[in-house]
Amino acid sequence: MLYALARALLFRLPPETAHRVTMRGLHAALAVPGVEALLRALTQAARPTEVFGLSFTNPVGLAAGFDKNVEHVAALAALGFGFVEVGSVTALPWPGNARPRLFRLPADRALINRMGLNNGGAEAAAARLTRRFPLPVFVNVAKTPDESLVGDAAVADYAATVARVAPLADAVVLNVSCPNADDGRTFEDPAALDDLLGATRPLCADTPLLVKVSPDLDRARLRDLVQLAVERGADGFTATNTTVQRDGLHTRAARLKAIGRGGLSGAPLHRRAVETVGAMRAWTDKPIVGVGGVDGPGTAQAFFDAGANLVQLYTGFVYGGPRVVRRIVRGLT
Ligand SMILES: Cc1cc2nc3c(=O)[nH]c(=O)nc-3n(C[C@H](O)[C@H](O)[C@H](O)COP(=O)(O)O)c2cc1C
């Protein structure tokens, strides 16, 4: 009820402003004595699990993109998440695309974003990662979207970030599937991924290294990518990133046209993402983090049934509010 009211107000604000206001409010509330304990009592749910040799109090995490600059991990831990993926972090600070770049599609319980990897860069992220956190923190790494960084320079850019954050992370996730940087998906090409893992796997030592894939790859290409990644030492996968597909939406065509390009997340992505996890499970027994349209116990369970070991959400948290994590954890079979 409370969140429904807060959401009605927040949804009157532009999405990025609402995000900022929410997180400021959460930090302010947590500074009041007793509030953190109260929030924990309302949101925590235990369902311990071990994946990648890490212990999780529950298998429901916050997906990349929500806390790009490692500013909110402790606050998010108080909302019941079992783990948080920060980033994407790029080697250099990056402003991202011009605003507006994030759009709500309430009729579809979805978002479209073309943020363009805005973040404060690897140095700033690393400085904040030196804190001790109460839950596993995955660090998502992307290439600085500077179009002059191609070939070996692009690999070196990723590697610089991985070298900086891997010793401070519980897991590193290579984002090779960002639809919002014009060159974002280059590393879905097997030869390029081969070079990328060759350069970054040795930098991770014991830190698990995951590859985050797109829901838009055709099956043969995805299979090649999974097999190559496993051969080159990847420890697991995250599936999926946002989609560029627009089929089956209830949002009016004129509105979609006005929004323009970007990655679609939330409910309309769910089936495609679950099918991607199911396909990948047939090719590898490495752990898979399922993400795309998780908004309750049923959508989370669908990922586990398809073979995922952990799940994450972003859009379902925006629409469902802070108690969604506990609802999911309690509803898993
Ligand atoms: C506003 C926004 C920003 C995002 N930024 C990133 C990012 O920086 N790196 C990344 O790997 N994924 C990013 N994502 C994708 C999410 O991590 C997730 O894969 C996708 O949204 C599907 O999950 P969902 O349906 O629960 O939102 C972003 C998603 C949204 C909505």
Side-chain angles (χ1 to χ4, degrees):
M1 276 282 285
L2 251 183
Y3 184 70
L5 183 66
R7 199 185 73 179
L9 297 173
L10 286 168
F11 273 28
R12 287 171 176 261
L13 301 171
E16 282 193 65
T17 313
H19 183 80
R20 231 181 3 260
V21 167
T22 307
M23 294 320 291
R24 276 203 195 138
L26 180 61
H27 282 279
L30 287 170
V32 176
V35 168
E36 183 168 349
L38 179 69
L39 261 184
R40 282 186 180 280
L42 289 171
T43 60
Q44 304 295 303
R47 194 183 178 88
T49 185
E50 289 226 350
V51 186
F52 302 116
L54 302 166
S55 300
F56 299 80
T57 51
N58 71 61
V60 181
L62 182 69
F66 193 94
D67 187 6
K68 287 176 182 279
N69 293 316
V70 203
E71 291 166 315
H72 310 302
V73 178
L76 293 163
L79 297 185
F81 286 103
F83 65 110
V84 170
E85 184 166 324
V86 296
S88 290
V89 176
T90 60
L92 303 174
W94 197 254
N97 292 322
R99 295 179 200 203
R101 53 192 179 177
L102 175 57
F103 307 87
R104 299 184 193 100
L105 278 55
D108 289 297
R109 289 181 77 83
L111 299 170
I112 288 178
N113 91 83
R114 53 167 175 274
M115 304 298 288
L117 297 172
N118 57 304
N119 79 105
E123 276 313 312
R128 296 199 185 101
L129 283 166
T130 54
R131 283 190 52 188
R132 282 202 155 272
F133 295 112
L135 77 183
V137 176
F138 291 19
V139 181
N140 181 302
V141 174
K143 187 185 89 66
T144 310
D146 179 336
E147 282 171 35
S148 69
L149 293 170
V150 291
D152 289 349
V155 172
D157 181 85
Y158 266 109
T161 308
V162 173
R164 196 70 187 85
V165 302
L168 305 166
D170 291 301
V172 171
V173 183
L174 291 176
N175 178 6
V176 296
S177 47
C178 177
N180 297 315
D182 291 337
D183 57 351
R185 289 181 165 179
T186 319
F187 283 90
E188 289 181 325
D189 174 64
L193 186 67
D194 195 6
D195 288 346
L196 181 60
L197 284 166
T200 53
R201 177 61 268 184
L203 300 170
C204 289
D206 291 337
T207 307
L209 180 62
L210 285 66
V211 177
K212 184 167 180 177
V213 302
S214 157
D216 300 331
L217 283 180
D218 70 54
R219 288 290 179 264
R221 181 95 179 270
L222 180 64
R223 192 190 56 227
D224 289 352
L225 192 148
V226 167
Q227 285 171 349
L228 179 115
V230 171
E231 274 165 31
R232 297 297 273 161
D235 300 290
F237 298 90
T238 303
T240 67
N241 214 314
T242 55
T243 176
V244 296
Q245 305 296 324
R246 296 285 186 269
D247 35 285
L249 295 182
H250 299 101
T251 303
R252 282 180 301 112
R255 167 78 177 139
L256 292 174
K257 193 163 172 229
I259 290 172
R261 73 187 177 88
L264 174 74
S265 59
L269 168 62
H270 180 64
R271 217 179 106 193
R272 192 183 293 265
V274 169
E275 285 172 0
T276 304
V277 169
M280 292 168 74
R281 183 44 79 219
W283 307 319
T284 178
D285 50 17
K286 298 281 181 196
I288 301 174
V289 182
V291 51
V294 171
D295 58 3
T299 42
Q301 189 66 48
F303 273 112
F304 290 115
D305 292 347
N309 304 73
L310 298 167
V311 296
Q312 295 176 319
L313 67 163
Y314 183 140
T315 308
F317 181 51
V318 171
Y319 282 94
R323 297 190 75 182
V324 71
V325 180
R326 172 142 100 174
R327 206 160 59 75
I328 294 170
V329 175
R330 287 190 165 174
L332 293 176
T333 52

